[in-house]
Amino acid sequence: LQIMARVLVDASGRSGVLTRRARNWPAFRTTALTAHFAPGERKGTLIETFPDGWVWSAPIVGGRRDVTVMLAAADAAGNPNKRFREAMRRVDLTGFVTGDLLTPVRAADVTPYRLGSTIAELPPLVAVGDAASALDPVSGLGTMKAMDSGLTGAIVIRTALEHPQDAGLALSFHATKERGLAIEAEGRIAGFYAEESQYRERAFWRQRSRALPPPAPRSTLPIGGCLVSAEGARVEVQGVLEQDWIIPAEVVVRPGRFRSGHRFAGISLAELFRMSNA
């Protein structure tokens, strides 16, 4: 049996049925160990660090409380139940949980990753959600990113099928957006890990940390000053999101920046760029 398709979509999550071989992985691997408890009298979400990882806990549907421990994969290997209990003794969950485990401890690989490049396939392949990229759990944005990816992916596929002349632009738009968001998130999240000063010399924190550069000082344009283009900046035509379609439009691109600039407050950045150069 042979089935022909105009577009393939990989929405298989972390299993990455069609995209796993194209992933870029960091130098570390992270395992989440999770189980449920009866809740205590204290409410809300808890995040607490310890020398070799961190713990997240929050109430869930059904009146239980989830407790998830993030560890280096090597530290989580072996007996998940034993590793989970060892980590529980390193943090203070007093008042948040009651009694012993209500469920077995489950282990899952939660290492962040992104696709290395657009996968050349016939028919075109569109990866959405965690099949395209996954963020480190400390971001707290995994579900939102996956939903955004799916919504954009639907518009990209609609454009590719109904406006085939723009299919290449649409597919490139989605792949670049997914990769760019993942790379930008990696930098911000590495900065979050660097803020944990108490354990910065421990391997878990050191491997995931990267100090962010200080913000550029605020300045105002001097009287008589003029705008000049940044080195390598240029105008080119790319796909942009316009309502429910990906359309060709002029954008400003700059080396080292994954996001191009289309409009700001209704102003065409390409037109502004040309005016400033003139």
Side-chain angles (χ1 to χ4, degrees):
L1 176 65
Q2 187 178 50
I3 299 174
M4 304 299 293
R6 294 167 64 188
V7 177
L8 284 175
V9 180
D10 190 345
S12 60
R14 281 186 168 267
S15 59
V17 173
L18 302 175
T19 56
R20 188 175 184 86
R21 69 184 185 279
R23 289 175 182 171
N24 283 347
W25 296 89
F28 59 84
R29 299 301 286 261
T30 305
T31 297
L33 302 178
T34 185
H36 296 168
F37 291 80
E41 71 279 4
R42 298 182 68 181
K43 309 296 182 183
T45 300
L46 171 75
I47 297 177
E48 187 170 339
T49 63
F50 60 97
D52 301 312
W54 57 280
V55 170
W56 174 89
S57 179
I60 57 174
V61 175
R64 295 181 177 184
R65 175 170 278 273
D66 179 276
V67 176
T68 299
V69 177
M70 312 296 174
L71 295 168
D75 293 340
N79 186 327
N81 189 70
K82 179 181 178 182
R83 299 289 182 265
F84 182 85
R85 291 180 181 278
E86 289 172 350
M88 288 278 290
R89 289 194 289 269
R90 310 296 294 275
V91 298
D92 185 7
L93 293 172
T94 305
F96 286 101
V97 299
T98 302
D100 205 354
L101 302 176
L102 298 178
T103 62
V105 175
R106 294 178 293 113
D109 185 349
V110 292
T111 308
Y113 55 80
R114 51 183 160 83
L115 296 186
S117 60
T118 303
I119 301 175
E121 293 278 356
L122 290 175
L125 175 60
V126 177
V128 298
D130 281 359
S133 61
L135 306 183
D136 190 290
V138 80
S139 74
L141 298 174
T143 300
M144 186 184 76
K145 190 211 78 75
M147 293 176 67
D148 174 76
S149 174
L151 290 169
T152 305
I155 294 172
V156 166
I157 293 167
R158 180 193 187 201
T159 301
L161 295 179
E162 298 191 29
H163 296 168
Q165 72 277 10
D166 295 330
L169 284 176
L171 295 167
S172 178
F173 169 87
H174 182 71
T176 301
K177 174 176 176 285
E178 281 291 323
R179 180 172 168 79
L181 285 173
I183 291 175
E184 288 178 357
E186 287 172 11
R188 291 196 301 271
I189 291 168
F192 295 160
Y193 277 107
E195 291 179 2
E196 175 47 78
S197 58
Q198 186 177 0
Y199 307 122
R200 65 177 51 179
E201 299 305 321
R202 304 286 294 197
F204 178 90
W205 298 96
R206 189 176 65 253
Q207 291 171 352
R208 291 161 177 77
S209 300
R210 185 168 71 248
L212 297 179
R218 284 183 155 301
S219 60
T220 57
L221 191 66
I223 297 175
C226 62
L227 297 173
V228 295
S229 59
E231 184 178 358
R234 65 190 186 279
V235 173
E236 64 180 46
V237 175
Q238 292 185 1
V240 301
L241 179 62
E242 189 75 30
Q243 296 184 347
D244 294 331
W245 301 97
I246 305 299
I247 64 170
E250 286 189 327
V251 299
V252 178
V253 298
R254 181 180 177 186
R257 300 290 180 90
F258 290 94
R259 296 199 203 191
S260 56
H262 177 219
R263 289 185 179 275
F264 179 76
I267 299 171
S268 167
L269 295 183
E271 291 180 13
L272 181 63
F273 181 82
R274 279 193 286 263
M275 288 172 59
S276 67
N277 284 338

